[in-house]
Amino acid sequence: MIHFLRCFFPVLCLLLIAGIVESREPSDLEQYYLELLNRARANPGAEVTRLSSRTWGDEGTPAIADLNEGLAPETITNTVRQPLAFDLRLMDSASNYADYLLLKNQFSHTANGTPQTRMQNAGYVFTPPSGSGENLATNASSGAHPLNATRVNEHHEGLFIDGDVEGRGHRINMLLPDYREVGIAIRTDVNSVSVFGPGFNEVLSVQNFANSANRRFVTGVIYHDLNSNQMYDPGETAGRLTLEVWRQGGAKVASGNTWASGGYSINLYGVSSGAYDLIVKDSEGRSEIVAFTWSGSENVKVDLVNPVFPIPPVTLPPFRPDVLIGRSLTSLTGGNLYSPTAQRQRLNLTQRTAKSTSWYARVENDSTRSDTILTKVTRGNRYFTVKVMRRQGAKYVNVSASAFTGRNEVLAGRQSSLYRVEVTPTSAALGRKDGLLSQFRVQSRGDASKVDRADVNLINRTKKPVTKKAGKKKR
């Protein structure tokens, strides 16, 4: 059985922001997610027909599939909306928040600021008139629940149909005509701990919508339609290509590149309306031209299907181990360093009693492919004993022996493992100020250069028990 939750948040934005973080590109699944969204915006009525066999309406009150199901008539009009273009800063805000919600096992628009502030903190600049909004979707299963195109379809359909959501805010957000940009992140957390409770494997997605006064785009995707369904599907990308926009009979007005997913976004704000060519080139000098009309006011989608370029070989991003450490599960932090140094990942603890002190570590695979990882934890010394526990379902299992010598486990892309490290002082430590520097080290077995390391410095402040000698009484 699959459980599904949705949550939307419309925001009007009239603020400016500065502050840039490193951006990431959309994956092929996120590109596919955008194609579904833009398909619905291009023809909302056809999307209703496409999903008419699904269950519409609130639980216990089924309804006929309709664009304004659950709404007043004509709330949503059956007209073409401009396509949405990916913005990498919005990708960052969506990605960071998805990771945060999965880490904290929460499902809320305000678990870490507001949608607006998160987009601003990622560097997106809102120039009035502007607007923003956010959709959240998550579902989970007690069985296998992999992140794939099926999950993307489930989230898209759930948000569009929007049953049991008063005001059908997700459907409205998806079809709001003013939006021009979006960031989408879809993530999985398979440690069997989720917002649904223990024993569920969860997939969560975040859609961050925005529009700003000085941004208008030509956008689209360049792909090989391998299954001939006239739709981009994951794995059909034509790869990284160079793009130029030329006025027909005139000069070049803009340029850009496709991402590895095959999608692209080029800002044409300020370019006058008219007839233009999108020139697509590969590294071997081959090129193709796609003509399009630019209105100067709204985004336009320009796709190139089955180009002359060869299908690119499958390339996989490098495995990127990330260790997050903290005194508790709610205080886990990491440096996203993926290096042997890890100066920014250091946790200081103080041992004040003879009882054990615990700290936690989450090992994450931030790539999209599986790898066998080597996890190694520094053992104790004559003053401290160390026990390493790994989360399995609702329990922690002792894996100390293998962790001290180097523990191998397969960690799939976007998956994580959770550990609790317990440190107990021995009697020799009582009354001393000796400390223990313990290290948590994770390394890719497929690429030994990909390493992350976290240091935990334990300072001993346990007191030696005070003993009194029995004295003799004088008479």
Short mmCIF file of all heavy atoms in Angstrom, two decimals, residues 241-264:
data_model
loop_
_atom_site.label_atom_id
_atom_site.label_comp_id
_atom_site.label_asym_id
_atom_site.label_seq_id
_atom_site.Cartn_x
_atom_site.Cartn_y
_atom_site.Cartn_z
N LEU A 241 25.03 20.06 -25.48
CA LEU A 241 25.14 20.68 -26.79
C LEU A 241 25.24 22.19 -26.63
O LEU A 241 24.81 22.76 -25.63
CB LEU A 241 23.92 20.33 -27.66
CG LEU A 241 23.69 18.83 -27.90
CD1 LEU A 241 22.29 18.59 -28.43
CD2 LEU A 241 24.73 18.26 -28.85
N THR A 242 25.81 22.86 -27.63
CA THR A 242 25.94 24.31 -27.65
C THR A 242 24.75 24.91 -28.39
O THR A 242 24.35 24.42 -29.45
CB THR A 242 27.25 24.73 -28.33
OG1 THR A 242 28.34 24.14 -27.62
CG2 THR A 242 27.40 26.25 -28.34
N LEU A 243 24.20 25.99 -27.84
CA LEU A 243 23.01 26.63 -28.41
C LEU A 243 23.28 28.09 -28.73
O LEU A 243 23.95 28.79 -27.97
CB LEU A 243 21.83 26.53 -27.42
CG LEU A 243 21.49 25.14 -26.87
CD1 LEU A 243 20.37 25.26 -25.84
CD2 LEU A 243 21.10 24.20 -27.99
N GLU A 244 22.72 28.54 -29.85
CA GLU A 244 22.75 29.96 -30.22
C GLU A 244 21.38 30.36 -30.72
O GLU A 244 20.70 29.58 -31.40
CB GLU A 244 23.80 30.22 -31.30
CG GLU A 244 25.23 29.95 -30.86
CD GLU A 244 26.23 30.18 -31.99
OE1 GLU A 244 25.79 30.38 -33.15
OE2 GLU A 244 27.45 30.16 -31.71
N VAL A 245 20.97 31.57 -30.40
CA VAL A 245 19.70 32.12 -30.88
C VAL A 245 20.02 33.28 -31.83
O VAL A 245 20.68 34.24 -31.44
CB VAL A 245 18.81 32.60 -29.71
CG1 VAL A 245 17.51 33.18 -30.25
CG2 VAL A 245 18.53 31.46 -28.73
N TRP A 246 19.54 33.17 -33.06
CA TRP A 246 19.77 34.19 -34.10
C TRP A 246 18.44 34.72 -34.60
O TRP A 246 17.49 33.96 -34.80
CB TRP A 246 20.53 33.59 -35.28
CG TRP A 246 21.97 33.26 -35.00
CD1 TRP A 246 22.46 32.28 -34.20
CD2 TRP A 246 23.09 33.95 -35.54
NE1 TRP A 246 23.81 32.29 -34.19
CE2 TRP A 246 24.26 33.31 -35.02
CE3 TRP A 246 23.27 35.02 -36.41
CZ2 TRP A 246 25.54 33.71 -35.33
CZ3 TRP A 246 24.55 35.43 -36.74
CH2 TRP A 246 25.67 34.78 -36.20
N ARG A 247 18.41 36.04 -34.80
CA ARG A 247 17.26 36.61 -35.49
C ARG A 247 17.34 36.20 -36.95
O ARG A 247 18.41 36.27 -37.57
CB ARG A 247 17.27 38.14 -35.39
CG ARG A 247 16.08 38.81 -36.09
CD ARG A 247 16.18 40.33 -36.01
NE ARG A 247 16.04 40.78 -34.64
CZ ARG A 247 14.88 41.00 -34.04
NH1 ARG A 247 13.75 40.77 -34.71
NH2 ARG A 247 14.84 41.42 -32.80
N GLN A 248 16.26 35.73 -37.52
CA GLN A 248 16.27 35.31 -38.93
C GLN A 248 16.62 36.49 -39.82
O GLN A 248 15.96 37.53 -39.79
CB GLN A 248 14.93 34.70 -39.32
CG GLN A 248 14.64 33.38 -38.64
CD GLN A 248 13.33 32.74 -39.08
OE1 GLN A 248 12.65 33.25 -39.98
NE2 GLN A 248 12.95 31.64 -38.44
N GLY A 249 17.72 36.33 -40.58
CA GLY A 249 18.20 37.41 -41.43
C GLY A 249 18.98 38.47 -40.69
O GLY A 249 19.34 39.50 -41.25
N GLY A 250 19.28 38.18 -39.38
CA GLY A 250 19.97 39.18 -38.58
C GLY A 250 21.12 38.59 -37.78
O GLY A 250 21.79 37.65 -38.23
N ALA A 251 21.32 39.08 -36.56
CA ALA A 251 22.49 38.73 -35.75
C ALA A 251 22.11 37.78 -34.62
O ALA A 251 20.93 37.55 -34.31
CB ALA A 251 23.10 40.00 -35.18
N LYS A 252 23.15 37.25 -33.97
CA LYS A 252 22.96 36.40 -32.80
C LYS A 252 22.53 37.27 -31.63
O LYS A 252 23.11 38.33 -31.39
CB LYS A 252 24.25 35.65 -32.47
CG LYS A 252 24.14 34.72 -31.27
CD LYS A 252 25.37 33.86 -31.08
CE LYS A 252 26.56 34.67 -30.63
NZ LYS A 252 27.73 33.79 -30.28
N VAL A 253 21.54 36.80 -30.87
CA VAL A 253 21.02 37.59 -29.74
C VAL A 253 21.27 36.92 -28.40
O VAL A 253 21.19 37.59 -27.36
CB VAL A 253 19.52 37.87 -29.92
CG1 VAL A 253 19.25 38.69 -31.18
CG2 VAL A 253 18.71 36.56 -29.95
N ALA A 254 21.56 35.62 -28.38
CA ALA A 254 21.77 34.92 -27.11
C ALA A 254 22.43 33.58 -27.39
O ALA A 254 22.46 33.10 -28.52
CB ALA A 254 20.44 34.71 -26.37
N SER A 255 22.96 32.99 -26.33
CA SER A 255 23.59 31.67 -26.46
C SER A 255 23.44 30.92 -25.14
O SER A 255 23.10 31.50 -24.10
CB SER A 255 25.06 31.80 -26.84
OG SER A 255 25.78 32.51 -25.85
N GLY A 256 23.73 29.65 -25.16
CA GLY A 256 23.65 28.83 -23.96
C GLY A 256 24.06 27.40 -24.25
O GLY A 256 24.67 27.12 -25.29
N ASN A 257 23.69 26.50 -23.34
CA ASN A 257 24.04 25.09 -23.48
C ASN A 257 22.92 24.23 -22.92
O ASN A 257 22.15 24.68 -22.06
CB ASN A 257 25.33 24.76 -22.73
CG ASN A 257 26.53 25.51 -23.25
OD1 ASN A 257 27.13 25.14 -24.26
ND2 ASN A 257 26.88 26.60 -22.55
N THR A 258 22.83 22.99 -23.40
CA THR A 258 21.92 22.05 -22.77
C THR A 258 22.62 21.42 -21.57
O THR A 258 23.84 21.38 -21.49
CB THR A 258 21.50 20.94 -23.74
OG1 THR A 258 22.67 20.25 -24.20
CG2 THR A 258 20.73 21.50 -24.92
N TRP A 259 21.82 20.97 -20.62
CA TRP A 259 22.35 20.19 -19.51
C TRP A 259 22.48 18.74 -19.94
O TRP A 259 22.04 18.35 -21.04
CB TRP A 259 21.42 20.31 -18.31
CG TRP A 259 21.25 21.71 -17.83
CD1 TRP A 259 22.23 22.55 -17.37
CD2 TRP A 259 20.03 22.48 -17.76
NE1 TRP A 259 21.71 23.78 -17.02
CE2 TRP A 259 20.35 23.75 -17.25
CE3 TRP A 259 18.71 22.19 -18.08
CZ2 TRP A 259 19.40 24.74 -17.05
CZ3 TRP A 259 17.74 23.17 -17.89
CH2 TRP A 259 18.10 24.43 -17.37
N ALA A 260 23.06 17.94 -19.09
CA ALA A 260 23.19 16.52 -19.41
C ALA A 260 21.83 15.86 -19.61
O ALA A 260 21.71 14.87 -20.34
CB ALA A 260 23.96 15.81 -18.30
N SER A 261 20.79 16.41 -18.99
CA SER A 261 19.43 15.88 -19.14
C SER A 261 18.85 16.16 -20.52
O SER A 261 17.83 15.57 -20.89
CB SER A 261 18.52 16.50 -18.09
OG SER A 261 18.37 17.90 -18.31
N GLY A 262 19.45 17.09 -21.27
CA GLY A 262 18.92 17.48 -22.58
C GLY A 262 18.12 18.76 -22.56
O GLY A 262 17.81 19.33 -23.61
N GLY A 263 17.75 19.24 -21.37
CA GLY A 263 16.98 20.47 -21.26
C GLY A 263 17.84 21.71 -21.28
O GLY A 263 19.07 21.64 -21.15
N TYR A 264 17.22 22.88 -21.46
CA TYR A 264 17.95 24.14 -21.47
C TYR A 264 16.99 25.28 -21.15
O TYR A 264 15.76 25.16 -21.26
CB TYR A 264 18.60 24.38 -22.83
CG TYR A 264 17.61 24.69 -23.95
CD1 TYR A 264 17.27 26.01 -24.27
CD2 TYR A 264 16.99 23.66 -24.66
CE1 TYR A 264 16.35 26.29 -25.28
CE2 TYR A 264 16.08 23.93 -25.66
CZ TYR A 264 15.75 25.25 -25.97
OH TYR A 264 14.83 25.53 -26.95
#
